[in-house]
Amino acid sequence: MGKEYGASPKPHQLETKRKRITWILGVSGLCILFYVLGAWQTTTTPINKSEAYTKLSCNDNASPAADNKPVNPSTTTPLSASLDFDSHHQIEINNSETVQKIPPCDMSFSEYTPCQDPNRGRKFDRKMLKYRERHCPKKEELLHCLIPAPPKYKTPFKWPQSRDYAWYDNIPHKELSIEKAIQNWIQVEGERFRFPGGGTMFPHGADKYIDDINQLIPLTSGTIRTAIDTGCGVASWGAYLLKRDILAMSFAPRDTHEAQVQFALERGVPAMIGIMASQRLPYPSRAFDMAHCSRCLIPWHQYDGLYLIEVDRVLRPGGYWILSGPPIRWKKYWKGWERTQADLKQEQDAIENNAKRLCWKKVVERNDLSIWQKPINHIECIKSRRIYKTPHICKSDNPDASWYRDMEACITPLPEVSSSDDVAGGALEKWPQRAFSVPPRIISGSIPGITAEKFREDNDLWAERVKNYKRIIGDPLPGGRYRNVMDMNANLGGFAAAMLKFPVWVMNVVPVHSNQDTLGLIYERGFIGTYHDWCEAFSTYPRTYDFIHASGVFSIFQDRCDIKDILLEMDRILRPEGTIIFRDTVEVLVKIKSITDGMRWNSQIMDHESGPFIPEKIIFAVKTYWTGEATQNHQ
C-alpha cells in the first residue's frame, strides 16, 4: 500500500537520515581540517626582518672573527630559515655532506671578463677592431671557480652618493686619474675616487654640457627618455642625465683606459662593455630617442658610413644624434688635435654627406655641438634616393636581429605609414606615462599572442610580486643600498616597471632563445636592456650588479648548456652581499640549490606568493661577503 500524502516518516527512517547527515558532516570536517593543516605546513612564515639579515663568514662553519676577514658593518645578509620542503614535494634535496664546494679562482682573475678577455682578443683580426668584439671561451676553457673580490673590497656608496664617489679598493686603477687629469674625469681622494663630472669635451662639467644640449633640443619635456652613449668613458654624461629622467645605455670597449665601464657601474650608472666594430649593437631597431658621441673616436666617416647606418637602425623615428669633438669646430681646435685643417674638413664633409644619405636633417651646429635628426618615416627618403644616392633599404625581414649579426650597408626599413605626418611604428607617450601605456608594438599586433589586456595583467602581476620581494628583502631596495638591478628574462618589462618606485635602474635582458622578441616594446616603455645568450658570459665586469632576478631562465637554458656555468656567471657579476631571486619549477630550483649551496650563497626555497599549490616556487639567495685575501687566509 502506497504512503499517504502528508504522513509522518517512521522512526527508523529518521535515524537513517540522521546518521547519513552526521557522516557527511564528519567527512567534510576532516577534509577541511587536513586542507588547512597542509596549507599551514607548506606556507612560509613571513620572515622577521631582524632574523632575516645577519653577517656570514667566508667559512660556512666559522664566525667572521675566526676567519680574520674585514667585516663590513654597513651591510647584512639573509639567513636560510629552515623550510619543510622535501616532505611535501617528494624530491630529495642534497644533504650538506654531499654538496660540492666550488673553490675560489686565483686573484689574477679578479676582473675577469670572459668574452672580452684581452689575451683571447689578440688572436683575432684587428681590422675594424674585430679583436675587441665578443670572443667567448670554449666549453673546455670555462672557469669552474668563484671570482674573488679584491682583498679590501667595501660595499659601494649608496645612491645617489655613488654617482660622485667610489672606493679605490674596489677598482684599484689610478691610470685614468693620471691620463685624464686635465679633463677632470676622475680624481683620487685618499681611499676613494671622486667623479667631478668632467669629460674631454665638457671641461665645465657634464651638467653644464647637458644644459647646453637642452637649449638646442628638448631634454626635460618627457619626449626624450632613452639614450645611447657610444664610447662613454666613465659615463658622466649618462650619470647627469638621470636627474632629467633620461636613461642612457652607455658602452665602451675594454681597452687601454682601464675599467671605464667598471667605474660607470660602480657609480650606479647603466653601462656595458661594447664597441662599434663589425657587428650590430645588441639592441633592437627603433630603441633610442637620442644617440651621443663626445670625442668617442669612432670613425663615422669611414666604411661608407656603416657606423652611422647602425646608429640609424637603433635610433627611433624623429630621434637625435649628437656629436661633439673632432671634427666639429675644427677651425678652432685643429692645432690642439694635432691634425691638419684639410684632414678635419674632409672628415666633417664625409659625415655631413653620410647623414644626408640617411635622410637625416641637420638641426643645428653651435659651438662644440652638432645635432642631426632622423626622419619620422621614410616616405620622403624614398623619393629622394636618386638625388642623394642613399643606401638601399635593407630587405631583411627582422631589423631587430642583432645578436652576432654583421652590420649591413643599407638603411633599416621603418614600418610603413599612410601619411608623411605619421610616425613610423607609432608615436610614443611622454615619460612617465610611457612606462604603463600600451606600447605601439603591441597595438600593431607585431608580437604574436601579446595583447593590451595581457600587457596590463602582466603589470598588475609584477606589482604584487615586487611588493612581496620588498617585504622579504627589506631596506636595501628603497634605501639606495641596491642600485644596479638585472632581469635575466625580462619578458614585457613588468618587473622593471614595478621597480620604478625604488631608486634603482634595471638592465632588461631578453634571451635570444625566447619564444617572443619583446626587447623592442621594453624600449618603447622607456626602459633599457639588451639581447643575450645565457650560455655565454655577460658583457660586464665582475661585481657590477646588486640584485639579479631570474624568472624562468633555467627552464629555457637547462637543455642548452650546463646550469652550473650560468650560476657561476651570476656569481661573477653579482656584488658581495647582493641578492638573487629565482622563479621556476620545483625540479629546476632543487637542481639550482644543490649547486649554489657550494657557492657561498645563503639561500631558501619559498612558496609562490599565491600559495603552496602553485607549481612555480621561488628561491631567495644572498651572495656572502668574502674576498681573495680572506680565502687565502682561510686556506
Side-chain angles (χ1 to χ4, degrees), residues 104-113 117-119 143 145-151 173 254 541-543 628-629 632:
C105 303
D106 186 84
M107 273 302 298
S108 61
F109 290 100
S110 181
E111 294 183 355
Y112 183 50
T113 53
D117 181 26
N119 295 324
L143 294 179
C145 52
L146 303 174
I147 300 296
H173 295 286
R254 176 161 186 164
Y541 283 83
R543 302 173 298 281
E629 183 179 53
Q632 292 163 6

Side-chain angles (χ1 to χ4, degrees), residues 63-193:
S63 67
D67 205 23
N68 293 321
K69 77 172 184 64
V71 175
N72 191 344
S74 64
T75 59
T76 50
T77 306
L79 283 174
S80 290
S82 59
L83 189 64
D84 184 12
F85 188 79
D86 44 4
S87 61
H88 301 290
H89 297 280
Q90 312 304 320
I91 295 177
E92 181 180 353
I93 298 179
N94 290 346
N95 295 324
S96 58
E97 292 80 5
T98 61
V99 170
Q100 181 183 358
K101 299 292 184 182
I102 299 177
C105 303
D106 186 84
M107 273 302 298
S108 61
F109 290 100
S110 181
E111 294 183 355
Y112 183 50
T113 53
C115 296
Q116 282 91 7
D117 181 26
N119 295 324
R120 182 176 294 105
R122 294 189 188 100
K123 302 174 185 178
F124 294 88
D125 192 355
R126 300 183 72 85
K127 183 180 179 182
M128 292 185 72
L129 301 178
K130 291 182 180 180
Y131 73 105
R132 287 185 178 172
E133 293 180 323
R134 286 177 59 87
H135 302 290
C136 298
K138 297 177 181 177
K139 185 176 181 179
E140 59 270 18
E141 298 175 310
L142 296 175
L143 294 179
H144 289 107
C145 52
L146 303 174
I147 300 296
K152 298 180 182 179
Y153 181 89
K154 301 179 181 67
T155 300
F157 290 93
K158 293 182 178 180
W159 183 264
Q161 191 180 15
S162 65
R163 187 196 70 177
D164 302 325
Y165 295 99
W167 293 113
Y168 170 79
D169 287 328
N170 291 7
I171 313 176
H173 295 286
K174 293 184 179 180
E175 294 89 339
L176 283 176
S177 65
I178 299 170
E179 187 172 342
K180 301 291 183 180
I182 61 173
Q183 296 168 11
N184 225 19
W185 278 27
I186 182 172
Q187 298 172 357
V188 180
E189 296 181 348
E191 294 183 348
R192 65 186 186 181
F193 290 112

Side-chain angles (χ1 to χ4, degrees), residues 13 87 150 179 183 194 332 377 413 434 438 447 468 558:
Q13 292 177 322
S87 61
E179 187 172 342
Q183 296 168 11
R194 187 170 73 87
K332 177 179 179 181
N377 58 59
R434 185 186 299 190
V438 180
I447 305 178
N468 183 52
Q558 65 174 338

Side-chain angles (χ1 to χ4, degrees), residues 520-592:
L521 74 84
I522 287 172
Y523 272 94
E524 288 179 339
R525 300 188 68 175
F527 305 132
I528 60 172
T530 182
Y531 294 111
H532 188 62
D533 181 350
W534 283 113
C535 290
E536 299 179 0
F538 195 76
S539 293
T540 191
Y541 283 83
R543 302 173 298 281
T544 46
Y545 284 88
D546 302 295
F547 178 12
I548 299 177
H549 185 253
S551 177
V553 173
F554 290 84
S555 288
I556 297 174
F557 287 96
Q558 65 174 338
D559 296 326
R560 299 179 183 274
C561 50
D562 192 336
I563 66 171
K564 180 179 179 181
D565 293 328
I566 303 176
L567 291 168
L568 287 171
E569 173 61 6
M570 294 173 71
D571 183 85
R572 183 185 75 88
I573 67 178
L574 187 68
R575 287 172 173 166
E577 299 176 309
T579 291
I580 317 98
I581 296 179
F582 301 89
R583 306 183 71 96
D584 227 305
T585 64
V586 172
E587 292 79 7
V588 171
L589 293 188
V590 169
K591 291 178 184 177
I592 289 172

Side-chain angles (χ1 to χ4, degrees), residues 280 284-287 309-317 358-359 374-379 381-382 385 391-401 405 408-417 423-426 441:
R280 285 180 169 182
S285 63
R286 297 180 282 125
I309 290 173
E310 176 62 3
V311 170
D312 180 81
R313 183 184 73 86
V314 300
L315 202 59
R316 201 181 307 286
L358 289 170
C359 304
K374 178 178 176 176
I376 61 173
N377 58 59
H378 275 163
I379 289 181
C381 185
I382 293 172
R385 281 180 61 191
H392 68 276
I393 303 294
C394 298
K395 296 181 180 179
S396 170
D397 58 352
N398 186 7
D400 293 345
R405 178 77 172 268
E408 296 184 67
C410 54
I411 299 177
T412 302
L414 291 174
E416 294 183 3
V417 294
V423 177
R441 275 174 164 88

Side-chain angles (χ1 to χ4, degrees), residues 165-309:
Y165 295 99
W167 293 113
Y168 170 79
D169 287 328
N170 291 7
I171 313 176
H173 295 286
K174 293 184 179 180
E175 294 89 339
L176 283 176
S177 65
I178 299 170
E179 187 172 342
K180 301 291 183 180
I182 61 173
Q183 296 168 11
N184 225 19
W185 278 27
I186 182 172
Q187 298 172 357
V188 180
E189 296 181 348
E191 294 183 348
R192 65 186 186 181
F193 290 112
R194 187 170 73 87
F195 301 90
T200 307
M201 292 309 300
F202 31 95
H204 301 296
D207 228 9
K208 175 63 168 60
Y209 176 80
I210 293 170
D211 284 341
D212 291 341
I213 296 174
N214 190 44
Q215 293 177 9
L216 306 177
I217 58 175
L219 295 183
T220 56
S221 65
T223 303
I224 295 174
R225 164 62 180 174
T226 55
I228 184 169
D229 190 11
T230 56
C232 64
V234 295
S236 289
W237 187 70
Y240 281 85
L241 280 173
L242 288 166
K243 70 178 186 180
R244 296 165 172 85
D245 275 340
I246 296 176
L247 194 58
M249 174 68 81
S250 301
F251 72 84
R254 176 161 186 164
D255 61 5
T256 54
H257 297 163
E258 288 287 350
Q260 293 180 83
V261 167
Q262 192 176 15
F263 275 120
L265 287 159
E266 190 74 10
R267 301 175 67 183
V269 179
M272 289 179 64
I273 300 174
I275 189 170
M276 296 197 78
S278 67
Q279 296 176 345
R280 285 180 169 182
L281 299 173
Y283 316 119
S285 63
R286 297 180 282 125
F288 300 98
D289 300 312
M290 176 171 60
H292 174 256
C293 164
S294 174
R295 199 171 187 178
C296 61
L297 305 180
I298 295 173
W300 302 110
H301 60 297
Q302 295 181 7
Y303 311 115
D304 275 340
L306 191 65
Y307 296 143
L308 277 183
I309 290 173

